[in-house]
């Protein structure tokens, strides 16, 4: 249990504002409850990471939580090594606050026209970045994407699902997609279209959404459906810097299992 009353006294003594103290106390109350539920007697590096990983929060909010705990440790003379802990804690957090629901993804895809419908479907199903989808090509029954943010440049290919094969053929037949290079549209045009359609369908409060949310939503939905995050990283997202959270990899024979999980196109 944390001694929050003593923390408040010491925080006021060093001149912290009341608003800062109130926020710190709100975080510390949650941390204290977590420690009590987990039968944790003292603050350690691992207990802090476990607490952060239990939160339904975004990665951008993690530093503010950690700052409250760091301030508590400093004022209460508790020696805990917090170096590099932000990146370590972020590795355990899927950005739930920065994701759409499965129904929201379906509505965006279903209500969009070609080529945008196909772009959004590819971004979601294969968890690709927008630039990677715009550079995609079809090779037989495979879809090939360039992998951005990696040097030297490389590509990754996946089997096409029947639904996506049908959508590609429809897009080509309508003259909205090409046979050699699928898309002849700028990233800016896609972003503006996504803004309009998301504002109309799912965003009445004016939240600024970008197409990249389809990639993060796909990861969130796969993890929530039971597929471990490390498997998603290995099979789909292809992040180059795989940290300690991603220790176990899928074999390539499991690619179809991941791609067909959480189907928004059927």
């Amino acid at each position: 249990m944390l001694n929050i009353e003593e923390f408040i006294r010491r925080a006021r003594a060093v001149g912290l504002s009341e608003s800062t103290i109130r926020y710190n106390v709100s975080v510390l109350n949650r941390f204290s409850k977590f420690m009590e539920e987990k039968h944790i007697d003292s603050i350690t590096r691992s207990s802090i990471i476990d607490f952060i990983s239990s939160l339904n929060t975004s990665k951008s909010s993690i530093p503010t939580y950690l700052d409250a705990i760091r301030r508590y440790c400093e004022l209460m003379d508790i020696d805990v090594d917090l170096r590099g802990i932000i990146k370590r804690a972020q590795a355990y957090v899927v950005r739930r606050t920065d994701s759409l629901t499965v129904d929201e993804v379906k509505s965006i895809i279903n209500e969009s026209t070609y080529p945008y419908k196909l772009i959004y479907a590819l971004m979601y199903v294969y968890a690709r970045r927008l630039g990677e989808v715009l550079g995609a090509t079809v090779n037989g029954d495979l879809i090939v994407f360039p992998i951005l943010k990696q040097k030297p440049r490389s590509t990754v290919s996946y089997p096409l699902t029947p639904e996506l094969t049908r959508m590609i053929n429809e897009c080509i037949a309508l003259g909205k997609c090409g046979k050699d290079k699928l898309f002849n549209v700028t990233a800016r045009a896609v972003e503006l279209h996504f803004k309009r359609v998301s504002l109309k369908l799912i965003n009445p409060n004016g939240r600024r959404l970008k197409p990249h949310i389809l990639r993060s939503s796909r990861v969130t939905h796969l993890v929530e459906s039971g597929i471990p995050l490390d498997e998603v990283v290995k099979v789909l997202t292809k992040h180059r810097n795989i940290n300690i959270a991603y220790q176990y990899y899928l074999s390539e024979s499991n690619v179809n299992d991941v791609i067909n999980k959480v189907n928004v196109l059927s």
Side-chain angles (χ1 to χ4, degrees):
M1 293 289 291
L2 305 183
N3 190 344
I4 295 179
E5 290 186 3
E6 178 62 18
F7 167 78
I8 295 174
R9 187 189 69 78
R10 296 189 185 189
R12 286 172 175 161
V14 298
L16 289 183
S17 67
E18 289 300 316
S19 60
T20 299
I21 293 174
R22 283 196 298 271
Y23 178 75
N24 286 176
V25 168
S26 68
V27 173
L28 295 172
N29 279 329
R30 294 182 68 178
F31 188 31
S32 183
K33 182 179 179 180
F34 173 83
M35 293 177 65
E36 184 178 3
E37 291 174 349
K38 301 297 182 180
H39 306 290
I40 300 173
D41 297 325
S42 59
I43 299 177
T44 62
R45 183 182 177 88
S46 61
S47 68
I48 295 173
I49 293 175
D50 289 344
F51 167 64
I52 295 298
S53 67
S54 72
L55 300 174
N56 185 16
T57 189
S58 66
K59 291 183 179 181
S60 60
S61 298
I62 290 176
T64 60
Y65 281 90
L66 292 177
D67 190 58
I69 297 172
R70 175 191 58 77
R71 186 170 286 118
Y72 178 88
C73 292
E74 289 178 351
L75 293 180
M76 302 300 289
D77 300 319
I78 299 173
D79 185 19
V80 179
D81 181 13
L82 299 180
R83 291 175 299 177
I85 199 171
I86 291 180
K87 288 185 178 180
R88 181 73 178 274
Q90 286 176 334
Y92 290 81
V93 177
V94 174
R95 300 175 62 182
R96 290 183 172 81
T97 58
D98 292 331
S99 67
L100 305 174
T101 67
V102 172
D103 287 340
E104 287 172 339
V105 173
K106 285 183 178 180
S107 67
I108 287 176
I109 293 175
N110 291 336
E111 296 300 320
S112 295
T113 57
Y114 290 115
Y116 303 104
K117 176 196 290 282
L118 179 58
I119 291 170
Y120 302 150
L122 292 172
M123 287 188 69
Y124 179 77
V125 172
Y126 299 107
R128 302 319 317 155
R129 300 178 179 90
L130 174 57
E132 294 170 343
V133 169
L134 294 183
T137 57
V138 175
N139 183 9
D141 59 354
L142 299 177
I143 182 83
V144 183
F145 301 101
I147 300 181
L148 302 182
K149 298 185 178 181
Q150 287 193 13
K151 294 182 180 180
R153 286 290 180 87
S154 59
T155 60
V156 61
S157 59
Y158 299 103
L160 280 165
T161 66
E163 295 93 342
L164 284 170
T165 298
R166 175 186 58 78
M167 291 175 70
I168 290 172
N169 291 334
E170 285 181 357
C171 191
I172 293 174
L174 291 170
K176 300 297 183 179
C177 295
K179 293 183 178 180
D180 297 324
K181 185 177 185 295
L182 276 178
F183 304 111
N184 186 25
V185 61
T186 65
R188 181 59 177 163
V190 177
E191 290 172 351
L192 290 174
H193 179 274
F194 189 85
K195 180 180 179 180
R196 289 195 298 270
V197 72
S198 62
L199 186 63
K200 174 184 176 182
L201 296 174
I202 63 174
N203 193 23
N205 296 324
R207 180 182 170 206
R208 298 179 64 183
L209 299 178
K210 294 186 177 182
H212 192 78
I213 200 172
L214 294 168
R215 174 175 160 96
S216 58
S217 297
R218 180 59 161 165
V219 175
T220 299
H221 299 161
L222 289 172
V223 171
E224 289 178 343
S225 73
I227 296 181
L229 183 56
D230 54 284
E231 297 185 1
V232 177
V233 170
K234 176 63 177 179
V235 174
L236 282 187
T237 64
K238 303 293 184 180
H239 286 99
R240 189 169 187 174
N241 183 21
I242 300 177
N243 59 39
I244 195 170
Y246 312 140
Q247 296 179 46
Y248 304 102
Y249 303 151
L250 273 184
S251 65
E252 292 304 315
S253 61
N254 289 316
V255 169
N256 281 318
D257 294 337
V258 175
I259 290 174
N260 290 313
K261 195 79 169 182
V262 191
N263 188 352
V264 300
L265 304 180
S266 58

